[in-house]
Each structure stands twice: as C-alpha cells, then as structure tokens.
Amino acid sequence: MYYIHAEDKLMRAARWVEQFDGGVERLKAILLDNELGICADLEREMGKLIGSYADEWKTVVNDPARRRQFRHFVNADGRHPQTEAITERGQEHPADWPKRLPPF
C-alpha cells in the first residue's frame, strides 16, 4: 500500500525501490519498524482493498446471460467445426496449433 501512495504513476516497483530515498533499509524502517506511524492506516487500507475484490470472470461464469456473450459466433450457438477441443484434467481447451501448416 505504501508503494501505491508513494510511487510515480506507471513506475515499476523495482525501479521505484532503486530510486527511493534511503533505499531498502529506509523502506524496512517505514514498513517494519513503523517509523512514520502509518502502518495501521496501511493495514486498514489493505483490508478495504482486499474486501472490495471481485473476480470478474467468476461473475461471468455464474451468469448464463453474460456467459452467452463469449461464444464462437454471435448469431449461432454451434461451435466452429475446425476447432478441435481437447479435454485435459476435466477441462476443455482448444488444441494447439499444428507445428507445420499446409500451404494455401
């Protein structure tokens, strides 16, 4: 959470830590030793963030109307006959592309 508040937008975490004034040791002091006295606030924010999480794909899978939006063709319920489905560990997925494709 501290990274979210302190980083520049679109900056990678590793680069941010490298450029952070005081480096990793300063971060340890802030986050582990509560040097700034903000750890309780950060914990509260993290709990709020975790509590607000919703799996968007689970929502789609559990809603038949939304699931119908993800199909091969909008105007037909069938599958494309050239699509080979492979069942692996009880789940269907499309077959891998062939190593060599036939010429046109």
Side-chain angles (χ1 to χ4, degrees), residues 55-93:
D55 185 348
E56 297 154 351
W57 284 110
K58 182 178 181 184
T59 304
V60 170
V61 168
N62 292 333
D63 182 359
R66 299 270 320 267
R67 196 171 52 233
R68 277 193 296 277
Q69 294 175 335
F70 296 90
R71 57 186 179 174
H72 284 237
F73 303 103
V74 174
N75 60 351
D77 290 332
R79 296 182 71 149
H80 193 283
Q82 266 61 29
T83 304
E84 180 185 356
I86 295 175
T87 303
E88 200 170 32
R89 295 184 304 274
Q91 298 177 345
E92 258 191 22
H93 68 85

